[in-house]
Amino acid sequence: MEEQLQLYVTELFAVEDPILAAIRARHVAENLPPIHISPDEGKLLHVLLRAIEATTVLEVGSLGGYSGVWIARALPPHGRLTTIEKDPRHASLARRAFSEAGLSNRVRVVEGAALDVLPTLAPGFDAVFVDADKEPLAQYYEWSMRLLRPGGLLLCDNSFFHGAAVDAADVTPAAQGVRAFNKLAAADPRLVATIVPVRDGLLVGLKVGE
Ligand code: DHB
Ligand code: MG
């Protein structure tokens, strides 16, 4: 989206409160990679989760907890976000973010590599948001579909991956992972999906079959 239009959407619909602004500022202060989602993307996740009345969400890749706050705020008080983070420093900053947002009782940060943690989780999630390393995305796809309930939402960040999605010359493992995830989602008869061109692309899919 053109930058000015993104700003227009953000200022109308996705203004951050001081808590979100502080979490974002901390990414800079703590030298976290500047790859968290944008406020307009956060608001889209929030609306989608409210639309399906999600109570349980799985996130792969917590980073500093910014997306997690947008997600957890979409859940009812008894809801639960389970978010997986392999970097201990990121996990600790994410926990701090959830605590500051008053969401600690609604969020479980699981420290570990996603491919180690995913097999330990019980299926039945209302939504899965994949926003982690890109190389294993095909494996994250299969785990997400296994853990989603029928009628659940599959969400994945960076579907465009800075244009690498359409750059066949980019054969880096990350670019191949992104393209593999998109292809799997497009071809899977269990899923009705598309990519919303917000920020770096958000894949949105509805699981319609087991
Ligand atoms: C990058 C961006 C992301 O949003 C992400 O989840 C991972 C990597 C990047 O720009 O490299
Ligand atoms: Mg991302």
Side-chain angles (χ1 to χ4, degrees):
M1 206 186 334
E2 194 188 310
E3 208 169 306
Q4 197 184 347
L5 290 171
Q6 185 184 8
L7 200 61
Y8 174 75
V9 174
T10 302
E11 286 179 352
L12 262 181
F13 294 101
V15 175
E16 291 173 329
D17 67 354
I19 290 167
L20 280 168
I23 296 168
R24 195 132 75 103
R26 193 173 307 134
H27 278 75
V28 181
E30 298 285 339
N31 278 316
L32 294 192
I35 56 171
H36 55 73
I37 62 165
S38 54
D40 57 328
E41 186 177 5
K43 185 63 181 285
L44 176 58
L45 292 173
H46 183 98
V47 171
L48 290 169
L49 295 172
R50 294 278 295 268
I52 63 158
E53 297 183 35
T55 62
T56 58
V57 178
L58 171 65
E59 179 180 59
V60 184
S62 322
L63 194 59
Y66 184 81
S67 51
V69 168
W70 279 103
I71 291 169
R73 283 179 173 175
L75 309 181
H78 64 278
R80 172 57 65 101
L81 166 66
T82 302
T83 181
I84 305 171
E85 176 55 53
K86 73 176 169 195
D87 184 313
R89 196 171 74 92
H90 295 179
S92 137
L93 288 166
R95 283 197 188 94
R96 182 171 159 195
F98 299 130
S99 164
E100 285 172 4
L103 293 165
S104 292
N105 55 357
R106 223 181 281 179
V107 184
R108 181 165 75 109
V109 180
V110 184
E111 229 173 279
L115 291 174
D116 294 333
V117 175
L118 289 165
T120 70
L121 301 177
F125 287 95
D126 296 320
V128 178
F129 178 49
V130 180
D131 189 14
D133 49 333
K134 309 307 178 197
E135 185 173 344
L137 269 172
Q139 292 168 84
Y140 295 161
Y141 180 85
E142 297 303 338
W143 277 111
S144 301
M145 288 300 284
R146 202 171 301 176
L147 294 172
L148 263 182
R149 70 159 166 89
L153 276 182
L154 175 66
L155 305 160
C156 183
D157 191 38
N158 309 102
S159 308
F160 297 153
F161 206 48
H162 314 290
V166 291
D167 180 3
D170 186 343
V171 291
T172 58
Q176 288 180 320
V178 169
R179 291 194 293 262
F181 191 102
N182 293 342
K183 272 190 171 175
L184 287 165
D188 194 331
R190 298 170 298 172
L191 198 72
V192 177
T194 192
I195 293 172
V196 181
V198 62
R199 199 176 69 98
D200 196 22
L202 176 71
L203 188 141
V204 179
L206 185 69
K207 183 176 172 185
V208 293
E210 270 296 359

